[in-house]
Amino acid sequence: MAKQIGRFDAIIVGARIAGCVTAAALAQLGWSILLVERARFPRPTLSTHLFFSDTLHALQRAGLLEPVLRIGAPRIRWLRFPYVAAPFPEFEGFDFALCIRREVLDTALFETVRSLSNVTALGGAQVTAVRQVDDRRWDVVVETMSEEWLASAPLVIGADGKNSTVARQVGAPLLRESPPLFAWYYTYVDGLPWDSDLAALAYRGDYPEIGAEYAAAFLFPCDAGLTLVGYGVEHRAFSAFRRDVTQHFFAGLRRIPEVWERIVSARRVAPIRGTGHLPNFLRQASGTGWALVGDAGCHQDPHSVQGMGNAARTAWLLAEELARVQTDGIDLEQALARYASRRDDDLLPMFAFTTFELRRRLPEDVWERFEARTREDPDLASLRVAAMVHAIHPATVYTPERVTSIANGEVIPPLQPA
């Protein structure tokens, strides 16, 4: 029989960015939290690694920024992607991005959160069952290597990634779904020189030998003097690529001279990791006594670099609404419903951009003019980068009406500091 851990105000499953921000934010409200994580840190996870001012601001509000800044990752001031190039805008005092190995970042967050007096944090523990007892209580079964435990709470929060156990066991419905777009792989190298003006770089390519008309590479300056080197191909080439990942990874990079010339003398210091199992979906964000944050609720292809920001922002949105249970006297179900509405409003514009749904809803010539103008108009480029990092609401740019208006010549004023 499972041993009783106790009763908590909330049980959070998953303790990477989404889970740690949620736990720290709710701990600030005085809630008692059980935080359960399958991994034993330090342990990597597949990730684009790059995160922006929206993530930094959420970490700051949750009291988690200082341990992240102490890691000493270089501050990246520019984004230079094939379709847009601009400096990162200032937002809430931040005008830079960071790229940190996930085993380093997530360990720092977890250790900080587990030190909070009202957080019970379990690493190396797996949730095997989530059972609704009644409208006011959930039981969660947690297994460690040696024992099985039972915990109870009125609220269970899934922060456990795209294959979320919580989402599956509470029956969270899918609201939107789109097939995988790309397969992405990355490694770390040492000895790659950077200019003082650091930028997150991405380049287009192709790899017709394995059926990829579209491919891309990216270079992100990372912590510990390393550089994250990534390469990806359109999803139809995934099966061919994975037959010999190392060969195809470097053969693909050689096809992009701007990248190969920079990395050819660098030293690889890590295995190549990646996948093509990258679904695009939006799950219902909440229900009676449960909520989903981060990838558990919305997962999308990494090419638009939204994953870490989505995790941090949705965690904070949930915490803001749960705070109103105490400050405004609304009930838990109202707070969860408000969270779901706000989360969808926050995520849907970039989800539509990422999955190419937005592009498909427009005439091709309109989208081509929009892209051409982005390359020619620095104010539009700045606006699109600001939307990417959520310094402005992405709907400012990424709706059919806005794209059409911009493509047809709407004047874009210079971006004002937040």
Side-chain angles (χ1 to χ4, degrees):
M1 180 177 294
K3 297 181 179 180
Q4 290 283 339
I5 299 178
R7 294 199 173 190
F8 300 85
D9 294 319
I11 299 170
I12 302 171
V13 183
R16 294 189 186 265
I17 292 176
C20 282
V21 172
T22 306
L26 295 182
Q28 289 177 352
L29 301 177
W31 290 35
S32 62
I33 304 297
L34 175 63
L35 180 63
V36 183
E37 169 57 45
R38 178 184 299 184
R40 290 187 180 276
F41 295 121
R43 184 172 179 177
T45 188
L46 294 176
S47 170
T48 50
H49 292 56
L50 192 64
F51 58 98
F52 308 123
S53 50
D54 55 343
T55 306
L56 293 164
H57 183 48
L59 292 172
Q60 182 183 58
R61 296 173 80 182
L64 298 174
L65 181 62
E66 286 308 311
V68 173
L69 294 182
R70 282 199 300 270
I71 294 169
R75 298 187 175 192
I76 303 168
R77 304 290 182 177
W78 272 78
L79 183 82
R80 292 191 176 98
F81 277 21
Y83 64 91
V84 66
F88 290 113
E90 181 179 346
F91 175 66
E92 300 291 349
F94 302 102
D95 61 354
F96 59 89
L98 296 177
C99 177
I100 300 175
R101 290 167 296 164
R102 292 300 300 269
E103 60 266 39
V104 176
L105 175 67
D106 296 341
T107 300
L109 294 176
F110 184 72
E111 291 301 324
T112 303
V113 171
R114 79 185 308 177
S115 70
L116 301 175
S117 60
N118 47 341
V119 175
T120 300
L122 300 178
Q126 183 171 349
V127 169
T128 58
V130 179
R131 299 191 290 257
Q132 188 173 20
V133 179
D134 53 43
D135 287 348
R136 297 182 178 274
R137 179 180 144 203
W138 290 84
D139 281 351
V140 174
V141 178
V142 182
E143 287 186 0
T144 64
M145 291 183 65
S146 57
E147 294 180 292
E148 184 177 81
W149 302 85
L150 180 69
S152 299
L155 176 61
V156 175
I157 300 169
D160 48 342
K162 67 180 188 294
N163 300 315
S164 169
T165 296
V166 173
R168 183 173 65 254
Q169 299 222 357
V170 302
L174 276 174
L175 304 180
R176 294 201 182 187
E177 190 174 17
S178 184
L181 300 169
F182 302 104
W184 296 104
Y185 290 81
Y186 61 84
T187 186
Y188 306 101
V189 302
D190 193 9
L192 193 153
W194 284 91
D195 299 330
S196 58
D197 186 16
L198 291 180
L201 304 176
Y203 302 89
R204 272 201 186 101
D206 62 9
Y207 200 161
E209 291 85 349
I210 61 169
E213 295 179 8
Y214 180 92
F218 53 91
L219 302 172
F220 301 157
C222 197
D223 63 297
L226 304 177
T227 296
L228 181 70
V229 178
Y231 183 75
V233 294
E234 58 187 296
H235 194 265
R236 66 178 180 173
F238 174 44
S239 294
F241 191 97
R242 70 193 301 196
R243 291 190 191 111
D244 193 332
V245 167
T246 300
Q247 175 189 334
H248 293 312
F249 184 86
F250 288 107
L253 291 174
R254 287 189 193 95
R255 296 182 61 85
I256 305 176
E258 302 96 325
V259 175
W260 188 248
E261 290 168 4
R262 292 180 68 114
I263 71 165
V264 65
S265 60
R267 179 173 61 94
R268 180 159 64 100
V269 297
I272 299 169
R273 305 182 73 239
T275 186
H277 298 297
L278 297 167
N280 299 278
F281 63 76
L282 187 76
R283 290 186 178 118
Q284 185 171 307
S286 67
T288 301
W290 60 266
L292 304 176
V293 290
D295 283 353
C298 178
H299 186 270
Q300 54 193 303
D301 189 273
H303 79 85
S304 59
V305 201
Q306 294 298 293
M308 296 172 79
N310 287 353
R313 288 193 324 281
T314 57
W316 191 260
L317 286 175
L318 176 61
E320 282 185 332
E321 293 306 323
L322 293 176
R324 299 185 69 223
V325 174
Q326 295 172 210
T327 60
D328 299 348
I330 68 173
D331 65 32
L332 178 62
E333 298 314 308
Q334 286 179 293
L336 292 174
R338 282 178 54 88
Y339 161 65
S341 177
R342 291 183 66 193
R343 187 213 65 165
D344 290 354
D345 177 73
D346 179 85
L347 294 181
L348 280 172
M350 286 304 296
F351 185 85
F353 169 73
T354 301
T355 59
F356 305 128
E357 174 191 329
L358 174 62
R359 181 171 182 169
R360 289 192 296 270
R361 294 174 64 188
L362 292 161
E364 188 61 28
D365 66 308
V366 169
W367 188 263
E368 289 175 357
R369 291 201 306 274
F370 176 70
E371 292 280 72
R373 188 174 174 193
T374 303
R375 293 188 292 269
E376 298 162 1
D377 185 343
D379 290 330
L380 177 53
S382 294
L383 197 71
R384 291 186 68 177
V385 171
M388 175 182 281
V389 307
H390 293 256
I392 60 173
H393 196 294
T396 306
V397 182
Y398 292 120
T399 67
E401 297 77 16
R402 294 295 298 132
V403 171
T404 300
S405 180
I406 292 167
N408 288 338
E410 176 188 323
V411 175
I412 305 296
L415 191 68
Q416 299 298 315

